[in-house]
Amino acid sequence: ILCGWDGALQNNCAFVGGKSHIYLTQTNMTDFFMSGFTFTGASETSISAWASPLSNAHFTDCVWKDNSASSAPAINVWFTYDYVGGEEVDPIAMMVKVSNSLFVDNASRDIERGSAILNEGGVLIIENSIFTDNRNGWPVEVALFGTLELTGSCFMNNPGPVYMFEGAVLISNSDNYGSNNNGDGYFCEGVYIDVDMECVEFDATFCAVSIASAPPTSMPSDAPSLEYRYPTQSPSLIPSSTPSVYPSNTPSANPTPMPSVSPTISFQPSHVPTMSPTRAPLPFGVTRSPTIAPTEEPSIGPTNAPSKPPTVKPTTQSPTISPTAKPCFTDWLTLGTAIEASQGNEAFVVCANTRLSPIPISSSRDTTGIIISASDLEVVCGDYDGAITGDCVIDGGNTHLIISGDKEVTGILVAGFVLENAMGTSVEAFGKVGSSAVFRDILWRYNKGGAVKMYHENNKAMLAVFNGCHFYSNEASAGSGLFVEVGYADVRGCTFEANEGGWPIEVVGSSSSLRLQESCFIGNNGGGLVYIDWMSQLITETNNFAVDNNIDAPQCKGVVVDDQFVSPECREFRSTTCRSEPLFTLPPSSSPSMKPSDVEDETKSGSNCHFFFFSTQVV
């Protein structure tokens, strides 16, 4: 939904008055994009982002002004309060990104909760935005295992900047500025972590954001220094009841009260994490086709295009990318040279029915991988929709794609490819903290060093989101499908099948976490299914399924959470059916250049084996 053809705020489109402006429904909803609007005068929440957890939305170049509500007058991210902290459903909600936007003079009326945005269990990304003169609550508040990635934003003249309730997770906080946000007496110009009673201060010394109709973008140079003090009592703004603004058609199953006890999860605990969800990645990307693989599958495997296209196609796309920008690519060297020379904000389309053979892009290096080091890049198969049915295959080499750079790299989308037969790891997600990428409808198969590795040398790394991907017959001694050595991984609707050696997903390191939902583990061979090191954290595990796996830890058909001092705990998968849709159901008609059986089974030789006695917890 755009204001004018280019979606610019200067085109003067506005939603004025009424109870609410936009209501995102309960059903799965992907690729919602809105640009260039002013939202003002709502008497209840302006944007109700209440779609199901696999949904995502992006608002950019917008203004929220003079909205009011009992809580969250601008944006509320929420899905359910059912079984909070219980044994049935983890409280997770959709993904919302806000960029280049202004929140001014919004106010909560009754309970002082979220004077602009309240994220209850969702994934919230805020970039290059301004929050000023909002009242009755902190302008950004996060609760119920919600996550936040905050970059390049400014907070001025609010009761406080950002408040993280117990159980919420701060993924990143970089290049943000705050001044005169002391109305609640916390004296925290940054992000306040409730469970630790700690202020994570902003690091910018001035506001660098420039938005149309925004207030002055810098503060006086002689602004007084602010001393942080621990509050003497708990904040008065802890959620106490369900927001009264929920529409009448909200499902009848939603309970009316908030839980009386907040989740007991801490951010980066000093001791071993518990089985409860603790932290997650965030990162976010607006995709342009379904997050779940198309329901109609190829009849003869992924190397030939099916007779029918995907059943769902995107209806909108970001105004920043033109479908006529460039012709499609058929050559690896040409594609790699163009991507590595890009300054960002570009789309690179590989022609449908193309097979690319990786070679080094530069003669000065040995790796065959294309290095992505600029933000807002899309690398997709086919006619800008990035569908797996486009039959784009990257075959061979030692590496396929590398996300890296000296600065944050955000807004990366890779969609619709078959990545196969790499002699090393297919994708190396090595971006620094604050970086983010989305991989959608990717089939990884027959890679000898595993499908994806996430790492950064500073022990703080990027977020990667995997939507509707298929990890098939990959091999590695650790993390045969996904190895998170340092990073935040969000896995949604993916299939892990017939992988060998290490566990299909392994998460290790003190700055690593996993959010896993609606994914399936079928016929894998190795140590187990999902392993969480004692220094890492499991944010949430929801509606996952396992069957026919030949593993060394048969007692746990789910997630093993290791513990430094006591026996590891097992979080059993509870779904009875597979909710993800594999990108193919039959093996390819031709054999790969190297079969999985050609490599020695590392679990037999004792390499990277884990032996456990479990205290099992079924949730």
Side-chain angles (χ1 to χ4, degrees), residues 527-540:
L529 300 180
V530 180
Y531 175 75
I532 307 293
D533 182 77
W534 67 270
M535 294 185 295
S536 303
Q537 297 173 332
L538 177 67
I539 296 298
T540 189

Side-chain angles (χ1 to χ4, degrees), residues 367-382:
T367 180
T368 60
I370 295 174
I371 298 175
I372 300 174
S373 58
S375 295
D376 300 314
L377 294 186
E378 298 192 359
V379 184
V380 298
C381 171

Side-chain angles (χ1 to χ4, degrees), residues 1 122 132 144-145 171 218 279 296 316 337 377 392 470 499 527 566:
I1 303 176
T132 184
L144 302 180
F145 302 116
I171 298 300
S218 63
R279 62 175 299 180
E296 296 184 29
T316 63
T337 301
L377 294 186
C392 299
H470 194 158
N499 298 287
V566 298

Side-chain angles (χ1 to χ4, degrees), residues 163 184-186 192 197-198 228-235:
Y163 196 97
D184 275 357
Y186 277 53
Y192 188 82
M197 298 181 66
E198 176 188 2
Y228 167 66
R229 298 199 302 264
Y230 287 112
T232 56
Q233 59 184 6
S234 299

Side-chain angles (χ1 to χ4, degrees), residues 77-158:
V77 185
W78 172 86
F79 183 64
T80 181
Y81 290 143
D82 291 354
Y83 309 104
V84 172
E87 297 184 351
E88 298 297 327
V89 178
D90 288 319
I92 55 176
M94 68 180 292
M95 183 181 293
V96 173
K97 179 178 181 179
V98 177
S99 61
N100 306 312
S101 295
L102 169 66
F103 298 80
V104 57
D105 291 327
N106 302 287
S108 295
R109 289 192 302 269
D110 304 324
I111 57 178
E112 296 188 354
R113 190 170 71 194
S115 59
I117 301 177
L118 175 61
N119 173 21
E120 299 176 281
V123 175
L124 177 62
I125 313 299
I126 300 174
E127 297 177 351
N128 304 319
S129 296
I130 293 177
F131 297 80
T132 184
D133 296 302
N134 301 285
R135 304 178 304 281
N136 296 339
W138 296 33
V140 176
E141 300 184 17
V142 184
L144 302 180
F145 302 116
T147 66
L148 173 66
E149 180 176 349
L150 182 64
T151 306
S153 296
C154 304
F155 296 79
M156 296 165 288
N157 306 319
N158 305 288

Side-chain angles (χ1 to χ4, degrees), residues 263-437:
T264 58
I265 308 306
S266 63
F267 175 70
Q268 289 187 332
S270 58
H271 57 279
V272 179
T274 66
M275 278 302 301
S276 302
T278 52
R279 62 175 299 180
L282 118 83
F284 171 90
V286 175
T287 61
R288 298 212 172 116
S289 59
T291 56
I292 303 299
T295 57
E296 296 184 29
E297 301 166 353
S299 59
I300 56 173
T303 57
N304 293 293
S307 59
K308 294 184 180 181
T311 57
V312 180
K313 286 185 178 291
T315 57
T316 63
Q317 60 185 26
S318 168
T320 61
I321 297 176
S322 169
T324 60
K326 291 183 179 180
C328 60
F329 292 84
T330 59
D331 175 74
W332 178 259
L333 189 60
T334 305
L335 173 66
T337 301
I339 291 175
E340 294 190 5
S342 176
Q343 298 300 306
N345 195 27
E346 290 190 74
F348 299 90
V349 180
V350 174
C351 302
N353 304 305
T354 295
R355 179 175 290 270
L356 300 173
S357 298
I359 60 175
I361 304 303
S362 169
S363 59
S364 62
R365 64 179 189 241
D366 296 330
T367 180
T368 60
I370 295 174
I371 298 175
I372 300 174
S373 58
S375 295
D376 300 314
L377 294 186
E378 298 192 359
V379 184
V380 298
C381 171
D383 188 19
Y384 282 86
D385 58 356
I388 189 67
T389 52
D391 192 24
C392 299
V393 180
I394 300 176
D395 183 3
N398 50 31
T399 303
H400 298 142
L401 298 173
I402 303 169
I403 299 176
S404 183
D406 296 331
K407 60 181 184 300
E408 292 179 9
V409 179
T410 62
I412 303 301
L413 172 66
V414 181
F417 291 93
V418 177
L419 303 179
E420 64 182 18
N421 292 322
M423 296 306 297
T425 304
S426 169
V427 172
E428 296 178 345
F430 291 176
K432 66 178 298 186
V433 64
S435 299
S436 61

